[in-house]
Amino acid sequence: MKMHRRFIAVGMLLLGVVVMPDSALCQMDRHLGTHNRMKRGPKMNIAAASFFGGGGTEEFIGVMQAANGDIVAIGNSWGPPFPQQYPVSVIGPGQLWDIPLLPPGHGSIKDGPAANHPNRTGFMVFFSENLRSIRRVTRFGWGLASITGSVVTRDGGLVIGGMATRNFRAVAREAAMMNTYALSGDEEASGAYRFASTLQPGDVYVGRLNRTLDGFEWVWILEGNRHPPQKLFEGRDGDIFFDSRGVMGIMQNGRKFIDYREQTGSALVKGRMKQLHGVHPQNGNLLLGGDRHWGTGREPWRMPVLQIFTPDGRMASSFYEWPGPLVGVSFLRLVSDSAVRAAAFAPNGDVYIAGWSDGGNSVFTRSPIDLEKRARGIGFDFPSWGVEGAMSFVHIMRFNLDDPHESDHMVYCSQLQTYPNSMSAQKMIVTGTGRVAIMASSASFLVQTTTEWFRAPDQYQRETMGQERLDVRILENGWPAFQGIGGRGSHIIVFDGMMTNVYWSSAIANMRHQDMIGTRDGGIVAVGSVNGDGIEGRDASLWEYDIAYPNEFARKLVAQARASRPSAGRQVWKYLRDDTRKNLFAVVDGNDLTTDMVAELRDDINDFLFDARDFYDPQIWSNEDFTRYERIYISQLHDPYMPEDSLGILNRCLLERSFPEHIFPHPKENRPPIVNAAQETFGGGFSDGHIYLLRDVASGGAK
């Protein structure tokens, strides 16, 4: 009988394997099934990618497409170095403020200079449509104003907004029309502020540039606002809408200003606010999203907020806003904290949402207006069952405003071993061709398409993935390369409108994503900032596989320790335990290190990385050309309050320099790609702007 039951069980398993659909394959092998589906076409790929920067610090924060097809990247520089190999025009006379790049209390080595630094100066780079050349560059005079948001109007105008220093007024007065709007005077964190040795007014500006790009047609100054717009939107009648402490609008070609905060309830509340995500392409309605706290009666809960307002500020509809107590007592118990993080209108008026939740039991799995009606499952719906601990999931929803009862839903997450892991979305767009692109970040492995660019394994991949079920090969330098999965961190994924196909999914190393647009020829352009030396914020610890050719490494350590001259090996040797030293001596005598011995050596070196303030010795590294970050860290060695993480980063960099054949250089060598570029060299400083163009493989994407 036992044999009979065993035969039946095996037969059923074999039958299941034969007829198993993709969804069942995902259940058995999680993300491997999703990965296999993502190999299908059609695909997109990077057709061009380029840096913009010089010896200073630059960033890209936005992108537009001009009426003539040029791709306009918006960014800022802290000066004074600035790329001079292109035609540069300057708006207004300026002068840098006498303030260090990182004055005490403002900015950090990890995060770079402060966003409200008075020397943060806005610029625009006009690329050709294929990104292969730069036609012109326009910037403000130094120390006048930053640029934080922009939009190209339907009549071809450029409208920009940002922070303004007290020197900006002289430029604004030259505009054909200048107006001011003052806050009530008692609003939180408003008015003038002190930055280092200067007193700044805290003004925000929004203005339309003239056709020669040397001044403004009209400009509004929001006095003491302090919250510059991150995105500008054009309404149905050419009106400009934006967030600046809440939703505001400029009408009648700059003649009228409207503060919508009271009508929309979007004002700052304890530092958090509902955000403006888009404008309806047909009727001009405003799309606002965010979240609010509303306890269920059993636990605290964050309720998602998605609201539609008419252009005159009246609420037209709201979604997902069920009272906390109702959600708490419902038999469904959909009490995962949930929030709208990004949203967009499709060309046909459908609403797409990228939501966040800290678990799978979210109200996002329901119809936007019916808590008991389950949304339709569509697309890939990455496997999310079997969660261990608190997680962050991205929920992607779509529905038509004329029939919101019917909605589509999918979960998007990353993977860690065979378990789902955290993902968060920062931005979503729907292109003119109906494709959905999401800028996101993952806590661990990103499942990628076969056209991915980032293939170097990060520490979690090397630690957990091994060689199971993945196409793994060993490169010439000894590092394993994993095909089809990407590192954690920033990435972009592009779906079709039904979310049944993934055109492109790839991590981009060391990239802080900022903005993206769909181009008129069906491509996608994304911009962001790339860390200057790629070392700030890294985890300095050695992980599994971070030591290549360990036996040869052991012999080098012993040889340097026995020599009399100063060396990196002698410095490391002082911190090794006696048992580890005996293991290394045994290698010299002809034995090999076991896996456990390599792990013990790695643990000793990790202790050394975070403890050794004497690793840096000028006698050893007198001829080294250190990066800017390394020089800053070296200057901090005598500071008793130097953070342990900073010490670890410096020592890891020194270790990589000393043993380049044996210590994995992670992640500073993993920079974004350069393809068909206008600028093919990395500038330096704290960051450079980076821009890349995605196109269908059949229409010019690099293979």
Side-chain angles (χ1 to χ4, degrees):
M1 188 58 142
K2 290 183 179 178
M3 181 66 70
H4 178 65
R5 284 198 295 266
R6 186 177 302 164
F7 175 80
I8 293 176
V10 172
M12 293 179 65
L13 177 61
L14 291 175
L15 179 61
V17 170
V18 171
V19 300
M20 189 174 298
D22 277 341
S23 59
L25 177 61
C26 286
Q27 296 296 314
M28 286 193 64
D29 206 358
R30 304 279 182 152
H31 287 268
L32 180 62
T34 304
H35 172 64
N36 288 336
R37 294 181 65 185
M38 289 171 67
K39 291 180 179 178
R40 304 170 183 173
K43 298 299 175 196
M44 302 183 78
N45 206 345
I46 292 182
S50 182
F51 291 112
F52 179 82
T57 296
E58 296 84 20
E59 65 177 359
F60 280 159
I61 56 89
V63 63
M64 311 176 287
Q65 186 166 29
N68 66 353
D70 283 356
I71 303 299
V72 187
I74 305 297
N76 296 281
S77 172
W78 280 257
F82 192 74
Q84 297 295 326
Q85 61 268 46
Y86 316 108
V88 179
S89 60
V90 180
I91 302 173
Q95 183 175 355
L96 287 170
W97 299 85
D98 186 17
I99 303 173
L101 191 64
L102 295 177
H106 302 280
S108 66
I109 293 176
K110 177 180 178 180
D111 300 321
N116 63 343
H117 197 301
N119 285 334
R120 188 188 186 202
T121 301
F123 64 79
M124 296 174 288
V125 181
F126 292 76
F127 289 87
S128 61
E129 198 163 1
N130 59 11
L131 300 189
R132 297 191 182 189
S133 64
I134 292 177
R135 302 188 190 281
R136 64 179 297 184
V137 179
T138 298
R139 68 169 175 86
F140 280 120
W142 292 119
L144 290 180
S146 65
I147 303 178
T148 58
S150 59
V151 66
V152 173
T153 60
R154 284 185 289 273
D155 63 357
L158 299 180
V159 181
I160 59 175
M163 284 289 290
T165 69
R166 65 172 186 252
N167 293 344
F168 179 77
R169 292 284 181 125
V171 176
R173 293 189 188 100
E174 298 294 324
M177 178 170 49
M178 186 197 87
N179 291 289
T180 61
Y181 177 77
L183 299 175
S184 61
D186 57 354
E187 298 195 32
E188 174 188 350
S190 62
Y193 70 98
R194 183 165 293 279
F195 191 99
S197 59
T198 70
L199 183 66
Q200 298 297 335
D203 290 347
V204 167
Y205 77 93
V206 175
R208 176 173 170 137
L209 294 170
N210 59 29
R211 295 193 177 277
T212 55
L213 301 183
D214 58 2
F216 289 96
E217 290 184 8
W218 55 260
V219 62
W220 279 84
I221 295 178
L222 284 57
E223 296 177 331
N225 185 289
R226 288 206 207 170
H227 290 267
Q230 304 303 304
K231 191 70 178 177
L232 305 178
F233 300 92
E234 185 184 20
R236 181 184 57 186
D237 300 322
D239 304 329
I240 303 299
F241 297 95
F242 56 93
D243 257 321
S244 185
R245 307 182 72 89
V247 178
M248 299 183 178
I250 297 175
M251 318 297 179
Q252 301 174 11
N253 197 24
R255 294 180 179 85
K256 182 179 180 182
F257 185 92
I258 298 180
D259 188 335
Y260 285 98
R261 291 179 296 166
E262 184 174 349
Q263 298 100 306
T264 61
S266 61
L268 283 173
V269 179
K270 294 182 179 179
R272 298 175 61 250
M273 57 190 261
K274 241 179 337 188
Q275 293 184 340
L276 176 64
H277 290 286
V279 175
H280 195 285
Q282 279 89 44
N283 57 30
N285 285 347
L286 311 181
L287 177 64
L288 277 69
D291 67 277
R292 56 169 291 193
H293 291 279
W294 195 342
T296 67
R298 299 185 185 182
E299 61 270 295
W301 180 57
R302 289 169 65 178
M303 177 191 76
V305 173
L306 186 72
Q307 298 172 339
I308 307 291
F309 286 85
T310 62
D312 59 2
R314 294 180 293 107
M315 182 183 289
S317 53
S318 64
F319 308 97
Y320 299 108
E321 296 185 51
W322 295 287
L326 174 62
V327 174
V329 301
S330 168
F331 70 94
L332 299 170
R333 292 287 293 161
L334 301 174
V335 294
S336 289
D337 287 343
S338 303
V340 173
R341 290 290 171 82
F345 284 113
N348 66 354
D350 284 355
V351 177
Y352 284 81
I353 306 144
W356 163 88
S357 78
D358 65 355
N361 57 326
S362 167
V363 294
F364 285 137
T365 61
R366 303 288 148 169
S367 161
I369 58 174
D370 188 344
L371 186 60
E372 296 187 3
K373 182 179 178 64
R374 182 179 292 276
R376 290 185 300 240
I378 59 170
F380 281 78
D381 203 26
F382 290 65
S384 58
W385 52 273
V387 174
E388 294 191 350
M391 303 298 298
S392 292
F393 288 146
V394 173
H395 297 261
I396 304 174
M397 288 75 68
R398 180 191 64 194
F399 63 89
N400 187 286
L401 288 173
D402 294 330
D403 186 15
H405 285 88
E406 298 295 332
S407 63
D408 299 321
H409 169 269
M410 67 173 286
V411 170
Y412 179 40
C413 61
S414 61
Q415 67 177 79
L416 181 61
Q417 294 177 307
T418 60
Y419 299 101
N421 205 19
S422 294
M423 187 83 77
S424 62
Q426 288 80 45
K427 185 173 180 60
M428 165 187 278
I429 64 167
V430 182
T431 71
T433 58
R435 295 180 185 179
V436 180
I438 298 174
M439 281 182 167
S441 59
S442 59
S444 56
F445 310 136
L446 170 69
V447 182
Q448 299 189 140
T449 49
T450 54
T451 51
E452 84 280 3
W453 271 91
F454 182 64
R455 296 185 179 183
D458 80 355
Q459 56 229 31
Y460 286 112
Q461 289 172 291
R462 295 194 300 280
E463 180 74 11
T464 62
M465 294 305 291
Q467 299 189 21
E468 297 179 1
R469 300 186 181 277
L470 294 169
D471 175 15
V472 180
R473 58 191 174 92
I474 303 298
L475 302 180
E476 292 180 359
N477 61 3
W479 313 124
F482 295 77
Q483 307 299 310
I485 57 173
R488 58 181 180 157
S490 298
H491 67 271
I492 289 178
I493 187 166
V494 182
F495 296 93
D496 66 353
M498 295 295 293
M499 270 94 71
T500 55
N501 178 48
V502 174
Y503 286 91
W504 196 70
S505 174
S506 179
I508 300 293
N510 292 335
M511 181 79 166
R512 296 196 304 272
H513 290 311
Q514 298 284 0
D515 195 18
M516 58 183 171
I517 59 166
T519 63
R520 60 190 185 186
D521 64 355
I524 293 173
V525 175
V527 298
S529 300
V530 182
N531 297 336
D533 289 288
I535 66 173
E536 74 287 7
R538 28 183 315 207
D539 182 353
S541 302
L542 293 176
W543 291 70
E544 188 176 2
Y545 300 122
D546 271 356
I547 299 178
Y549 312 116
N551 291 321
E552 183 182 339
F553 179 52
R555 285 188 284 270
K556 287 184 179 180
L557 286 177
V558 172
Q560 291 187 19
R562 286 173 169 172
S564 59
R565 65 180 180 274
S567 66
R570 283 176 63 88
Q571 298 285 74
V572 173
W573 190 265
K574 295 187 300 183
Y575 287 83
L576 300 181
R577 291 172 294 131
D578 289 341
D579 289 345
T580 303
R581 292 178 181 178
K582 291 178 182 178
N583 294 335
L584 302 189
F585 281 132
V587 173
V588 176
D589 294 335
N591 297 314
D592 290 335
L593 292 174
T594 66
T595 301
D596 290 341
M597 291 177 181
V598 174
E600 291 169 2
L601 172 61
R602 188 175 66 244
D603 290 343
D604 284 4
I605 293 178
N606 280 335
D607 291 340
F608 155 80
L609 292 176
F610 293 97
D611 292 338
R613 285 181 175 267
D614 59 346
F615 187 29
Y616 172 73
D617 184 340
Q619 296 182 71
I620 302 173
W621 287 284
S622 58
N623 297 321
E624 289 285 343
D625 182 19
F626 289 113
T627 67
R628 178 176 186 167
Y629 285 103
E630 289 169 331
R631 292 195 299 271
I632 293 174
Y633 287 135
I634 289 171
S635 71
Q636 295 179 341
L637 280 172
H638 299 295
D639 182 354
Y641 299 103
M642 181 183 187
E644 183 182 87
D645 288 346
S646 298
L647 178 62
I649 290 171
L650 172 61
N651 286 341
R652 173 67 182 265
C653 291
L654 295 175
L655 194 67
E656 292 171 7
R657 285 177 175 272
S658 305
F659 303 99
E661 302 88 357
H662 303 288
I663 303 300
F664 185 82
H666 177 75
K668 62 183 178 184
E669 297 303 322
N670 297 330
R671 287 177 176 152
I674 299 178
V675 182
N676 298 326
Q679 178 172 324
E680 297 186 351
T681 57
F682 190 73
F686 276 98
S687 65
D688 279 357
H690 190 54
I691 182 169
Y692 48 108
L693 168 65
L694 291 173
R695 282 183 174 158
D696 289 348
V697 171
S699 63
K703 297 183 180 180

